[in-house]
Amino acid sequence: GDKAFAQFLTDEIKEEKKIQKHKSLPKVSGGWELEVHGTEAKLVRKIAGEKITVTFNINNSIPPSADDEPQEEQKPDEQEPDLTSTPNFVVEVIKDDTKQTLVFDCHYPEDEIGHEGEEESDIFTIREVSFQPTGESEWKETNYTLNTDSLDWALYDHLMDFLADRGVDNTFADELIELSTALEHQEYIKFLEDLKSFVKCQ
């Protein structure tokens, strides 16, 4: 059984490498520096008196397929639809002269449908905003967290503009999807390779 499994994995790895779009991770424009630790990625950008970091994890970032019906018409040699990774991401804005960090918890809505009648809809939304002490790794549950569900639209728009002024806008969100998808695929191939050597190990 293990031999067949290993053989299957070898073929699968070959296939995945064939469809791999990016041999190296795509860059995010706007002077962001990328750090990757396993499945977690961090983009850092410094602008006058502020440091902006965007963190995301590719685990569970691929939404479940919308159509559960088996596609009868698909010819065997047709490519499967491209999987896209749309991770939740956290934006932290740290001002040099305060001990506080403003934290935005953002995500890509499942159905990317904006408010009716809006031409320009944002591809990501802010879910929560809070202040966290700078440099603390653990978030404090006792800090007030603003949930955007019931938020005044004007305030919400200002928050979105605040992010856009710091380079976190639709273009950035698009590039983040590119980056995350490439990273997810790279990690998936690596996982298959590790699985193969694990299965072959006597």
Side-chain angles (χ1 to χ4, degrees):
D2 283 2
K3 260 207 184 79
F5 191 11
Q7 187 48 53
F8 167 79
L9 288 168
T10 307
D11 298 342
E12 193 68 7
I13 291 163
K14 248 204 242 82
E15 280 308 300
E16 290 297 332
K17 283 193 168 157
K18 222 189 298 177
I19 60 170
Q20 194 172 18
K21 280 203 196 107
H22 303 279
K23 291 294 171 249
S24 62
L25 293 173
K27 290 258 182 289
V28 176
S29 59
W32 294 89
E33 303 208 344
L34 174 66
E35 302 167 21
V36 179
H37 306 284
T39 59
E40 188 176 82
K42 188 185 206 170
L43 290 156
V44 183
R45 177 175 192 238
K46 290 189 171 75
I47 51 176
E50 294 182 356
K51 176 177 163 190
I52 295 104
T53 67
V54 178
T55 321
F56 64 92
N57 194 316
I58 56 165
N59 280 337
N60 306 320
S61 65
I62 293 186
S65 354
D67 40 355
D68 293 330
E69 278 88 70
Q71 294 178 320
E72 299 302 324
E73 321 78 77
Q74 213 179 18
K75 297 181 198 72
D77 58 338
E78 270 182 36
Q79 279 301 319
E80 289 169 23
D82 288 346
L83 293 175
T84 310
S85 159
T86 49
N88 297 344
F89 60 97
V90 173
V91 183
E92 295 174 65
V93 180
I94 304 158
K95 285 194 188 276
D96 294 348
D97 49 4
T98 66
K99 290 277 174 284
Q100 281 184 315
T101 301
L102 185 58
V103 179
F104 295 83
D105 187 354
C106 303
H107 77 138
Y108 294 96
E110 298 281 303
D111 50 355
E112 293 187 21
I113 299 164
H115 314 292
E116 278 72 72
E118 266 192 9
E119 288 75 66
E120 188 69 359
S121 122
D122 290 300
I123 59 174
F124 71 96
T125 58
I126 302 170
R127 247 200 310 218
E128 294 180 344
V129 188
S130 66
F131 279 110
Q132 297 297 338
T134 302
E136 305 254 333
S137 54
E138 287 304 304
W139 287 12
K140 290 196 171 13
E141 290 298 320
T142 51
N143 285 10
Y144 179 76
T145 300
L146 175 70
N147 191 308
T148 56
D149 288 346
S150 51
L151 200 58
D152 174 344
W153 275 108
L155 175 53
Y156 182 82
D157 286 342
H158 278 297
L159 289 168
M160 286 298 273
D161 291 344
F162 179 84
L163 285 180
D165 289 342
R166 282 151 185 81
V168 180
D169 52 14
N170 276 346
T171 309
F172 173 85
D174 265 334
E175 293 181 353
L176 189 116
I177 291 177
E178 270 293 281
L179 170 64
S180 180
T181 302
L183 186 60
E184 204 284 332
H185 199 202
Q186 183 177 299
E187 285 295 315
Y188 175 60
I189 292 172
K190 192 166 151 298
F191 174 79
L192 292 179
E193 287 170 337
D194 291 347
L195 187 56
K196 185 177 93 176
S197 37
F198 186 85
V199 169
K200 283 170 98 169
C201 184
Q202 293 308 321

Short mmCIF file of all heavy atoms in Angstrom, two decimals, residues 51 92 94 98-101 132-140:
data_model
loop_
_atom_site.label_atom_id
_atom_site.label_comp_id
_atom_site.label_asym_id
_atom_site.label_seq_id
_atom_site.Cartn_x
_atom_site.Cartn_y
_atom_site.Cartn_z
N LYS A 51 5.11 52.29 11.68
CA LYS A 51 5.47 50.99 11.12
C LYS A 51 4.16 50.23 10.92
O LYS A 51 3.33 50.17 11.83
CB LYS A 51 6.38 50.24 12.10
CG LYS A 51 6.75 48.85 11.69
CD LYS A 51 7.71 48.25 12.72
CE LYS A 51 7.78 46.75 12.58
NZ LYS A 51 8.50 46.13 13.69
N GLU A 92 -1.39 45.91 11.66
CA GLU A 92 -1.05 46.64 12.87
C GLU A 92 -0.36 47.93 12.48
O GLU A 92 0.58 47.92 11.70
CB GLU A 92 -0.11 45.80 13.75
CG GLU A 92 -0.77 44.54 14.26
CD GLU A 92 0.22 43.65 15.01
OE1 GLU A 92 0.71 44.08 16.08
OE2 GLU A 92 0.52 42.57 14.51
N ILE A 94 1.74 50.90 14.07
CA ILE A 94 2.47 51.26 15.28
C ILE A 94 3.06 52.65 15.07
O ILE A 94 3.82 52.87 14.13
CB ILE A 94 3.61 50.26 15.54
CG1 ILE A 94 3.04 48.83 15.63
CG2 ILE A 94 4.38 50.61 16.81
CD1 ILE A 94 4.06 47.73 15.37
N THR A 98 3.99 56.38 20.45
CA THR A 98 3.01 55.92 21.44
C THR A 98 3.33 54.48 21.79
O THR A 98 4.04 53.80 21.08
CB THR A 98 1.56 55.96 20.89
OG1 THR A 98 1.46 55.01 19.84
CG2 THR A 98 1.18 57.33 20.41
N LYS A 99 2.79 54.07 22.90
CA LYS A 99 3.04 52.69 23.34
C LYS A 99 1.90 51.78 22.87
O LYS A 99 1.75 50.67 23.31
CB LYS A 99 3.12 52.65 24.87
CG LYS A 99 4.36 53.32 25.42
CD LYS A 99 5.55 52.37 25.39
CE LYS A 99 6.84 53.05 25.79
NZ LYS A 99 7.39 53.91 24.71
N GLN A 100 1.06 52.32 21.97
CA GLN A 100 -0.09 51.53 21.54
C GLN A 100 -0.02 51.19 20.08
O GLN A 100 0.58 51.90 19.28
CB GLN A 100 -1.38 52.30 21.81
CG GLN A 100 -1.80 52.25 23.26
CD GLN A 100 -3.13 52.95 23.43
OE1 GLN A 100 -3.34 54.03 22.89
NE2 GLN A 100 -4.04 52.33 24.18
N THR A 101 -0.65 50.08 19.74
CA THR A 101 -0.73 49.65 18.36
C THR A 101 -2.21 49.59 18.00
O THR A 101 -3.00 49.04 18.76
CB THR A 101 -0.13 48.24 18.23
OG1 THR A 101 1.23 48.29 18.66
CG2 THR A 101 -0.18 47.73 16.80
N GLN A 132 -3.88 47.60 21.02
CA GLN A 132 -3.13 46.61 21.79
C GLN A 132 -1.82 47.24 22.23
O GLN A 132 -1.27 48.07 21.50
CB GLN A 132 -2.85 45.36 20.94
CG GLN A 132 -4.09 44.61 20.48
CD GLN A 132 -4.91 44.02 21.61
OE1 GLN A 132 -4.40 43.82 22.71
NE2 GLN A 132 -6.19 43.77 21.36
N PRO A 133 -1.32 46.84 23.40
CA PRO A 133 -0.03 47.39 23.82
C PRO A 133 1.06 46.95 22.84
O PRO A 133 1.12 45.79 22.49
CB PRO A 133 0.20 46.80 25.20
CG PRO A 133 -0.96 45.94 25.51
CD PRO A 133 -1.89 45.91 24.37
N THR A 134 1.89 47.89 22.42
CA THR A 134 2.94 47.58 21.46
C THR A 134 3.92 46.57 22.05
O THR A 134 4.32 46.69 23.21
CB THR A 134 3.70 48.87 21.08
OG1 THR A 134 2.73 49.77 20.53
CG2 THR A 134 4.77 48.62 20.05
N GLY A 135 4.29 45.59 21.23
CA GLY A 135 5.33 44.65 21.67
C GLY A 135 4.81 43.47 22.45
O GLY A 135 5.54 42.55 22.77
N GLU A 136 3.53 43.45 22.79
CA GLU A 136 2.99 42.29 23.50
C GLU A 136 2.57 41.27 22.45
O GLU A 136 1.88 41.61 21.50
CB GLU A 136 1.75 42.68 24.32
CG GLU A 136 1.98 43.80 25.28
CD GLU A 136 2.03 43.32 26.72
OE1 GLU A 136 1.42 42.28 27.01
OE2 GLU A 136 2.71 43.97 27.52
N SER A 137 2.95 40.02 22.66
CA SER A 137 2.57 39.04 21.65
C SER A 137 1.14 38.57 21.88
O SER A 137 0.41 38.28 20.95
CB SER A 137 3.52 37.85 21.68
OG SER A 137 3.57 37.34 22.99
N GLU A 138 0.75 38.53 23.15
CA GLU A 138 -0.62 38.08 23.45
C GLU A 138 -1.57 39.27 23.45
O GLU A 138 -1.29 40.28 24.10
CB GLU A 138 -0.67 37.40 24.82
CG GLU A 138 -0.02 36.03 24.85
CD GLU A 138 -0.61 35.08 23.83
OE1 GLU A 138 -1.83 34.88 23.85
OE2 GLU A 138 0.15 34.55 23.00
N TRP A 139 -2.68 39.13 22.75
CA TRP A 139 -3.67 40.21 22.78
C TRP A 139 -4.43 40.15 24.09
O TRP A 139 -4.72 39.10 24.61
CB TRP A 139 -4.65 40.04 21.63
CG TRP A 139 -4.05 40.40 20.34
CD1 TRP A 139 -2.72 40.61 20.09
CD2 TRP A 139 -4.73 40.59 19.10
NE1 TRP A 139 -2.55 40.91 18.77
CE2 TRP A 139 -3.75 40.91 18.14
CE3 TRP A 139 -6.05 40.52 18.72
CZ2 TRP A 139 -4.07 41.16 16.81
CZ3 TRP A 139 -6.37 40.77 17.41
CH2 TRP A 139 -5.38 41.09 16.47
N LYS A 140 -4.75 41.32 24.58
CA LYS A 140 -5.50 41.39 25.83
C LYS A 140 -7.00 41.33 25.53
O LYS A 140 -7.52 42.17 24.80
CB LYS A 140 -5.16 42.68 26.57
CG LYS A 140 -3.74 42.69 27.13
CD LYS A 140 -3.61 43.79 28.16
CE LYS A 140 -2.33 43.77 28.95
NZ LYS A 140 -1.25 42.93 28.52
#
